[in-house]
């Protein structure tokens, strides 16, 4: 609501104010409805139905946004989850595997969230096409993992990519290279919603195109959109028709999110006979994960609480590693039949995330999003499984990329596993400065990836380059001051060292 409206409503009596706000809200909804109808008239006939579904979905979300005020959780109602609602992975694994694991696998579909661009790492196009290991991209590794499963167990586990309008075209072009792989690959698109002006709360878009000045008018509304868009695409029904029962959903940039047969078996053969419709893999928090969403008990249901939903006074408590020990990895196992049922009953309830953005021209907008894990409370008999940290290996920055490219991991059939030569189960803390943010700059600064098996902590800042076969051990801090440059010479071994100033080794 604009500032003028807010001031006016404050000036009126409390009772009158709520009525007044209700009138304003209804008028705003009507204005948005008219704007969306105008946009819809610009849709070409072959896109009309699809666009209408998208805009209807947006209207529902916008209606809820206007109804809800303040943080969406009542802090007093948050409780620790009951003991049995978050199971240790060891207990799930101890059940072993049945002889008929192939028939269990044949009921699974792997879904990767593939809507993101590589812009934060200075790349154009889909993030899934960035090379992460031996020239392999995130997508290559995913296909290799599933092909290995299908060959090993003689199964037919398909891969489904949820693309966004940003990634769809480029991804489809690349998919041809997997036509000889033993993996069926399907795609469907996330919805496309209009961004809204922060002041007027009206859509920025004037028509359905997303080129020219309309490029920034649209956005994909977060991965919580998976339920509606999967259902709307018709693919959900197709897969149910083929006898598929569960999807394993994860972010394509989480290299630890491989198919786990023990978790799958637990779902297919529940120990108490009660089918579980939703499993969220959680893992123990470290200081680096204090902002991650956590599982709590809320009004008798498991509920994912994100930092954005926490009242300001309780944010520090939320971040505390002692009270909330786990966080959501976004590796989720969900029943297809349950998704269909809840989608048809319009019963999937996810909190709205309001994401403010500033467009290139300086216009402040907001985009309304939802998160896939937030729906856990809508499913029956949900469960958290506390998995090893190795199942959470996201690559969000070049610091993460350095870890997965290094000898800390070995690559086998598309899966990365921590090297047995590493003496500690945890990964080193790596902080690369702004000179390394973009992938191409990062690659230029390493002649080869250093040996990091015995590294605990690495901080690099400023204009620094690494020669071939460098070894890093213990805590290494390298800081080139502004205007200085540090070249770490080939073959150097840095153990518990601080290097600063100016260091250039010249070849004569």
């Amino acid at each position: 609501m604009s500032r003028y409206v807010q001031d006016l409503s404050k000036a009126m009596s409390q009772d009158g104010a709520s009525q007044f706000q209700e009138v304003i809200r209804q008028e705003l909804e009507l204005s948005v409805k008219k704007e969306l109808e105008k946009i819809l008239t610009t849709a070409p006939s072959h896109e009309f139905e699809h666009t209408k579904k998208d805009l209807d979905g947006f209207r529902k979300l916008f209606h809820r946004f206007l109804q809800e005020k303040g943080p969406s959780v009542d802090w007093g109602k948050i409780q620790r989850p009951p003991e049995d609602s978050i199971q240790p992975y060891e207990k799930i694994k101890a059940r072993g595997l049945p002889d008929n694991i192939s028939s269990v696998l044949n009921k699974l579909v792997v879904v990767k969230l593939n809507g993101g661009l590589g812009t934060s790492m200075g790349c154009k196009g889909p993030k899934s096409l960035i090379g992460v290991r031996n020239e392999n991209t995130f997508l290559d590794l995913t296909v290799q993992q599933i092909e290995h499963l299908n060959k090993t167990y003689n199964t037919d586990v398909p891969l489904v990519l949820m693309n966004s309008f940003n990634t769809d075209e480029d991804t489809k072009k690349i998919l041809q290279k997997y036509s000889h792989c033993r993996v069926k690959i399907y795609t469907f698109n996330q919805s496309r919603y209009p961004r809204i002006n922060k002041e007027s709360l009206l859509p920025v878009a004037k028509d359905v195109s997303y080129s020219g000045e309309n490029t920034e008018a649209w956005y994909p509304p977060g991965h919580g959109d998976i339920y509606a868009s999967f259902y709307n695409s018709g693919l959900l029904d197709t897969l149910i028709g083929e006898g598929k029962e569960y999807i394993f959903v994860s972010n394509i940039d989480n290299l630890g999110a491989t198919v786990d047969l023990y978790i799958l078996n637990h779902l297919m053969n529940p120990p108490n006979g009660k089918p579980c419709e939703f499993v969220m893999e959680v893992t123990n928090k470290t200081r680096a994960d204090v902002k991650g969403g956590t599982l709590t008990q809320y009004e008798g249901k498991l509920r994912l609480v994100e930092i954005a939903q926490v009242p300001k006074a309780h944010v520090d408590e939320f971040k505390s590693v002692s009270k909330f020990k786990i966080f959501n990895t976004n590796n989720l196992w969900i029943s297809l039949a349950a998704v269909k049922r809840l989608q048809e009953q319009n019963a999937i309830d996810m909190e709205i995330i309001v994401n403010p953005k500033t467009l290139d021209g300086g216009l402040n907008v907001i985009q309304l999003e939802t998160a896939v894990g937030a729906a856990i409370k809508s499913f029956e008999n949900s469960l958290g499984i506390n998995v090893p940290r190795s199942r959470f290996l996201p690559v969000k920055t070049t610091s993460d990329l350095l870890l997965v490219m290094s000898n800390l991991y070995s690559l086998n059939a598309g899966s990365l596993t921590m090297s047995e030569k590493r003496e500690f189960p945890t990964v080193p803390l790596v902080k690369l400065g702004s000179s390394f943010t973009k992938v191409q700059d990062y690659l230029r600064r390493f002649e080869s990836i250093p040996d990091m098996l015995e590294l605990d902590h690495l901080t690099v800042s400023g204009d620094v380059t690494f020669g071939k076969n460098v070894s890093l051990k213990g805590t290494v801090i390298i800081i080139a001051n502004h205007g200085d440059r540090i070249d770490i010479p080939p073959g150097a071994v840095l153990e518990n060292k601080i290097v600063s100033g100016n260091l250039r080794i010249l070849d004569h």
Side-chain angles (χ1 to χ4, degrees):
M1 241 170 274
S2 72
R3 206 146 295 135
Y4 164 72
V5 172
Q6 284 173 338
D7 294 345
L8 197 58
S9 66
K10 270 184 198 159
M12 301 178 71
S13 71
Q14 253 340 89
D15 188 40
S18 59
Q19 281 179 329
F20 175 73
Q21 281 180 326
E22 186 50 45
V23 170
I24 292 289
R25 196 158 53 214
Q26 285 171 1
E27 283 186 5
L28 187 55
E29 283 215 49
L30 202 62
S31 305
V32 166
K33 184 179 175 218
K34 282 180 183 159
E35 289 292 316
L36 295 177
E37 282 166 357
K38 268 191 228 162
I39 293 171
L40 187 58
T41 60
T42 68
S45 56
H46 67 281
E47 279 178 23
F48 185 84
E49 273 313 308
H50 192 79
T51 307
K52 187 174 185 308
K53 274 182 183 166
D54 279 357
L55 296 180
D56 285 350
F58 173 77
R59 253 186 70 197
K60 280 184 195 161
L61 196 61
F62 186 74
H63 172 76
R64 278 181 47 216
F65 162 69
L66 291 181
Q67 301 292 335
E68 293 169 13
K69 285 283 161 272
S72 51
V73 290
D74 175 348
W75 195 251
K77 290 184 180 174
I78 285 183
Q79 297 169 310
R80 281 203 177 154
E83 280 299 304
D84 59 343
S85 67
I86 299 181
Q87 300 265 353
Y89 176 75
E90 290 66 37
K91 189 177 166 188
I92 304 286
K93 193 173 178 177
R95 294 185 61 204
L97 293 175
D99 296 336
N100 67 337
I101 194 66
S102 297
S103 64
V104 171
L105 257 175
N106 269 327
K107 294 177 179 170
L108 181 70
V109 176
V110 175
V111 180
K112 292 286 180 182
L113 304 171
N114 185 43
L117 293 167
T119 40
S120 63
M121 292 163 76
C123 295
K124 285 188 163 61
K127 186 171 181 185
S128 55
L129 307 184
I130 295 175
V132 279
R133 183 88 191 210
N134 311 355
E135 306 294 308
N136 286 301
T137 64
F138 291 104
L139 188 55
D140 291 336
L141 295 177
T142 301
V143 173
Q144 286 168 29
Q145 287 163 19
I146 301 174
E147 182 171 51
H148 178 67
L149 259 186
N150 284 336
K151 282 180 171 168
T152 307
Y153 296 99
N154 193 22
T155 50
D156 180 24
V157 176
L159 169 63
V160 173
L161 299 171
M162 176 164 91
N163 297 338
S164 66
F165 62 89
N166 290 319
T167 61
D168 188 53
E169 204 176 312
D170 290 339
T171 302
K172 280 182 172 158
K173 279 182 196 157
I174 286 288
L175 290 182
Q176 292 158 3
K177 81 175 200 187
Y178 306 116
S179 55
H180 302 300
C181 295
R182 189 170 161 174
V183 183
K184 272 193 203 142
I185 304 178
Y186 302 93
T187 64
F188 69 94
N189 263 12
Q190 260 174 287
S191 308
R192 183 164 74 101
Y193 283 1
R195 284 178 166 148
I196 47 184
N197 182 314
K198 194 177 175 186
E199 283 298 311
S200 68
L201 293 187
L202 294 175
V204 179
K206 295 291 169 252
D207 58 54
V208 293
S209 71
Y210 45 101
S211 54
E213 52 185 53
N214 244 3
T215 325
E216 291 191 301
W218 301 91
Y219 72 99
H223 42 56
D225 183 58
I226 185 171
Y227 304 105
S229 50
F230 196 17
Y231 178 84
N232 289 340
S233 71
L235 190 54
L236 179 77
D237 280 338
T238 303
L239 293 167
I240 290 175
E242 288 176 7
K244 305 297 181 191
E245 291 181 19
Y246 278 90
I247 47 175
F248 170 48
V249 181
S250 62
N251 297 351
I252 197 148
D253 63 9
N254 176 6
L255 293 175
T258 55
V259 171
D260 186 282
L261 298 177
Y262 299 101
I263 295 177
L264 179 63
N265 178 48
H266 187 83
L267 284 171
M268 294 297 190
N269 303 303
N272 57 4
K274 261 172 65 182
C276 168
E277 293 185 342
F278 196 111
V279 160
M280 177 179 288
E281 292 185 35
V282 295
T283 194
N284 292 345
K285 265 188 188 181
T286 64
R287 297 267 170 232
D289 315 303
V290 290
K291 291 182 175 174
T294 193
L295 269 188
T296 59
Q297 174 89 345
Y298 192 89
E299 295 179 337
K301 285 263 195 183
L302 270 187
R303 175 158 175 170
L304 178 68
V305 176
E306 303 276 4
I307 195 161
Q309 296 161 255
V310 178
K312 281 203 171 55
H314 296 283
V315 165
D316 286 343
E317 193 182 339
F318 174 82
K319 286 182 177 178
S320 121
V321 178
S322 54
K323 181 161 184 183
F324 298 105
K325 292 184 166 60
I326 52 156
F327 72 99
N328 166 30
T329 62
N330 220 35
N331 299 350
L332 309 167
W333 303 74
I334 311 170
S335 153
L336 284 167
V339 172
K340 182 175 164 73
R341 179 190 80 235
L342 292 169
Q343 194 54 40
E344 287 174 350
Q345 294 168 353
N346 197 19
I348 294 183
D349 176 23
M350 294 172 284
E351 290 73 33
I352 295 174
I353 301 159
V354 179
N355 190 350
K357 297 264 181 189
T358 303
L359 303 186
D360 286 348
L363 181 69
N364 288 324
V365 297
I366 53 179
Q367 46 192 54
L368 306 178
E369 302 176 6
T370 54
V372 56
I376 187 168
K377 60 179 181 293
S378 304
F379 289 81
E380 292 301 316
N381 201 21
S382 297
L383 181 68
I385 296 181
N386 191 342
V387 296
R389 181 75 188 201
S390 56
R391 291 193 55 74
F392 184 67
L393 189 58
V395 181
K396 302 287 181 200
T397 61
T398 49
S399 303
D400 299 331
L401 197 54
L402 181 61
L403 292 171
V404 299
M405 282 184 160
S406 75
N407 60 345
L408 288 164
Y409 292 98
S410 50
L411 180 65
N412 182 19
S415 298
L416 289 182
T417 42
M418 176 84 73
S419 165
E420 287 171 4
K421 294 178 189 160
R422 169 97 175 152
E423 289 184 11
F424 333 98
T426 53
V427 292
L429 193 62
V430 172
K431 292 179 182 168
L432 299 178
S434 55
S435 309
F436 291 80
T437 305
K438 294 183 171 176
V439 173
Q440 68 234 44
D441 295 341
Y442 152 89
L443 290 171
R444 211 183 57 223
R445 291 178 176 279
F446 289 99
E447 271 195 61
S448 70
I449 302 295
D451 169 356
M452 291 165 51
L453 277 175
E454 294 174 44
L455 180 69
D456 299 324
H457 180 123
L458 172 67
T459 295
V460 184
S461 174
D463 186 0
V464 178
T465 62
F466 291 79
K468 277 200 163 117
N469 305 324
V470 171
S471 257
L472 305 172
K473 302 177 180 196
T475 296
V476 178
I477 297 169
I478 305 169
I479 296 173
N481 298 324
H482 187 66
D484 288 345
R485 174 168 162 187
I486 295 178
D487 294 330
I488 304 297
V493 177
L494 302 182
E495 181 165 7
N496 296 324
K497 279 260 190 304
I498 296 178
V499 182
S500 66
N502 204 348
L503 174 72
R504 296 195 69 174
I505 307 286
L506 299 173
D507 289 331
H508 289 296

